[in-house]
Amino acid sequence: MTNRKALPVPSFVSGICFSYHSSQKKMRVRELSPSDGNGSSTNGDEPLPQDADYSNVLSLSDELETSILARFPRSQHWKLCFLNKRFLALARSGEIYKIRRELRFKEPSVFMLVSGESNWWGMEWPFMSSKKLPPIQSDYNFEFGDKESFCAGSHLLVSGKEIDGAVIWRFNSIKNEWRKGPSMINPRCLFASATCSAIAFVAGGLDAGTYTQVLDSAEKYNSESRCWEPLPRMNKKRKFCSGCFMDNKFYVLGGQDEHGKDLTCGEFFDGKANSWNLIPDMWKDIVSQSPPLLAVVNNELYTLDASSNELKVYVKGTNTWKTLGVVPVRADAQGGWGVAFKSLGDELLVIGAPSVSHTVHALSMYTCCPDPDDEKLRWRQIGCGSIQLNHFIRNCAVMGT
């Protein structure tokens, strides 16, 4: 049988304070006397609390209550923790986020680590402000070494290397805390990654133990079970590659093989067939010093060509790329390094140094709703809050829950 109860929300109405007590079936009603401006009452006789019967107040089932709370803006979920212990446990359990995924609610968050900062920064939809994440309690090697980042569910995962070896630090956005682990089955760096809801995929890269062995292995992380599972090996060993999730498949593009040769092929993992399929020349005629800058919007694949500073869309039927226009950040300044290019719901997101000035070092963020059939791009600049951050992006990941 479903447990039913009234919503335990304290409120103030017309000078009356209603406070909820979970151990009683009475509600305290106390009239607040006027204040003299110094916080003290002008009435010498303090009114006594009176018990009122609220048995006729409309009550909600736990299931309906949770469903309603799941529809709250995600940026406001922290307030639930101050209502009562049940809401605190509910917010931390992840049940709300599981319902949001089932309802396909998407209010993305952007997490980034910029040059000159030791702390990660986060921005939640609708991006009116930014916040500094708690520091990662790691060592000097991890803080100043190379890192990769990706998201799964409500987890931000940052892969790097400490003095004792390869490690993953996991930020839980619900609890606002960092925890170490779990480590990959095959720890790696310079690998491809992609996210689909609560699942993150990784493939290829360099073995984190030797930093010389190029990998063809792949695995996936489940944020609900906090476990890694192995996947079949790719057709090609590759490092400096990038990944994306499109057509319900995990794609890996570009990179270099074990001989240092640039790869123009791509391949995708089909979860239903549990196998990899090679796509020859999928990355042909695109030159980049950095791993490919990829993003999928509305199931269409886009790339930021750092050599020309142009946005291109992949034409699936012809296995070619079509140029749509120029982006408003300078991806060509560092050969693609230091620029973030991500999907943000039904928009593209680019972060970096603005193209309008060669001297401005402040970070700029732009979004665009691309149309493969429309070569006129309409970029919209979004604010970064009141902070001024360096434009060189070391790591960036988007959480879509």
Side-chain angles (χ1 to χ4, degrees):
M1 182 179 294
T2 302
N3 180 32
R4 302 178 66 85
K5 61 181 178 300
L7 281 173
V9 182
S11 60
F12 292 82
V13 180
S14 301
I16 304 295
C17 173
F18 297 85
S19 61
Y20 174 79
H21 298 273
S22 59
S23 60
Q24 304 175 2
K25 290 198 174 182
K26 296 291 183 180
M27 182 167 57
R28 295 283 188 185
V29 180
R30 186 175 68 182
E31 184 171 354
L32 302 180
S33 56
S35 172
D36 62 1
N38 297 318
S40 61
S41 172
T42 57
N43 188 353
D45 297 325
E46 187 71 23
L48 296 175
Q50 301 176 19
D51 288 335
D53 185 1
Y54 69 103
S55 58
N56 293 324
V57 175
L58 179 65
S59 59
L60 300 175
S61 68
D62 287 349
E63 290 84 358
L64 181 57
E65 192 176 87
T66 304
S67 180
I68 292 173
L69 294 175
R71 288 165 167 80
F72 276 27
R74 191 161 65 87
S75 60
Q76 303 298 313
H77 282 185
W78 63 272
K79 297 179 180 179
L80 300 179
C81 302
F82 295 95
L83 294 179
N84 59 30
K85 291 182 178 180
R86 196 188 90 78
F87 284 6
L88 172 62
L90 184 64
R92 291 185 170 182
S93 69
E95 182 65 24
I96 290 178
Y97 294 88
K98 191 179 297 184
I99 295 175
R100 290 173 66 84
R101 286 195 293 269
E102 293 173 355
L103 297 173
R104 296 189 177 183
F105 279 2
K106 291 186 177 181
E107 293 177 343
S109 295
V110 178
F111 298 96
M112 54 188 169
L113 179 66
V114 304
S115 181
E117 294 278 337
S118 58
N119 283 67
W120 283 72
W121 286 84
M123 296 182 63
E124 293 185 347
W125 183 92
F127 309 116
M128 301 299 292
S129 62
S130 54
K131 66 176 182 179
K132 182 182 290 188
L133 272 57
I136 301 177
Q137 301 301 319
S138 188
D139 59 22
Y140 181 90
N141 275 27
F142 184 88
E143 180 177 349
F144 294 98
D146 292 333
K147 291 178 280 290
E148 272 85 26
S149 62
F150 51 95
C151 289
S154 58
H155 294 173
L156 164 66
L157 296 100
V158 183
S159 173
K161 188 174 183 180
E162 296 181 338
I163 294 176
D164 295 331
V167 66
I168 285 182
W169 281 90
R170 182 183 77 253
F171 177 73
N172 188 321
S173 63
I174 301 174
K175 299 181 179 180
N176 194 43
E177 65 180 15
W178 290 97
R179 290 289 180 90
K180 187 180 291 189
S183 296
M184 295 184 196
I185 301 171
N186 297 116
R188 65 192 74 210
C189 63
L190 301 173
F191 54 87
S193 65
T195 300
C196 177
S197 189
I199 305 297
F201 299 85
V202 300
L206 284 173
D207 177 74
T210 63
Y211 280 84
T212 58
Q213 181 184 359
V214 182
L215 302 175
D216 58 2
S217 61
E219 49 194 290
K220 66 178 182 179
Y221 171 77
N222 188 320
S223 63
E224 296 178 355
S225 65
R226 296 197 296 273
C227 292
W228 289 92
E229 299 177 25
L231 297 176
R233 294 183 179 274
M234 294 188 295
N235 293 290
K236 297 283 187 179
K237 294 182 178 181
R238 58 178 82 210
K239 60 181 179 179
F240 290 105
C241 47
S242 293
C244 64
F245 197 83
M246 178 176 63
D247 296 325
N248 293 318
K249 299 176 179 65
F250 172 39
Y251 281 76
V252 179
L253 278 71
Q256 299 176 344
D257 63 13
E258 63 269 36
H259 306 295
K261 180 182 177 182
D262 291 335
L263 294 171
T264 61
C265 62
E267 52 187 302
F268 65 85
F269 174 70
D270 187 339
K272 294 182 178 179
N274 197 38
S275 63
W276 288 90
N277 296 271
L278 201 66
I279 307 178
D281 298 328
M282 187 177 184
W283 196 241
K284 186 179 180 181
D285 299 329
I286 297 182
V287 180
S288 177
Q289 299 176 23
S290 69
L293 298 169
L294 306 175
V296 174
V297 173
N298 296 326
N299 213 36
E300 299 287 349
L301 176 59
Y302 297 87
T303 186
L304 172 49
D305 189 338
S307 65
S308 61
N309 222 47
E310 293 177 323
L311 177 68
K312 298 182 178 181
V313 60
Y314 178 65
V315 184
K316 300 175 184 178
T318 59
N319 193 32
T320 57
W321 293 87
K322 174 185 175 182
T323 301
L324 296 180
V326 178
V327 296
V329 300
R330 297 213 54 211
D332 57 339
Q334 301 288 339
W337 296 103
V339 172
F341 180 70
K342 302 290 180 179
S343 59
L344 194 68
D346 59 356
E347 294 181 305
L348 287 173
L349 170 70
V350 291
I351 311 175
S355 57
V356 294
S357 174
H358 291 239
T359 59
V360 174
H361 296 285
L363 176 147
S364 296
M365 303 175 63
Y366 299 87
T367 61
C368 174
C369 293
D371 184 347
D373 299 321
D374 187 357
E375 297 183 7
K376 186 176 182 180
L377 300 172
R378 299 169 180 84
W379 293 98
R380 177 176 64 92
Q381 187 169 9
I382 60 178
C384 306
S386 59
I387 59 169
Q388 292 292 323
L389 298 173
N390 191 291
H391 66 78
F392 191 92
I393 308 298
R394 295 177 59 191
N395 297 98
C396 182
V398 173
M399 186 180 294
T401 56

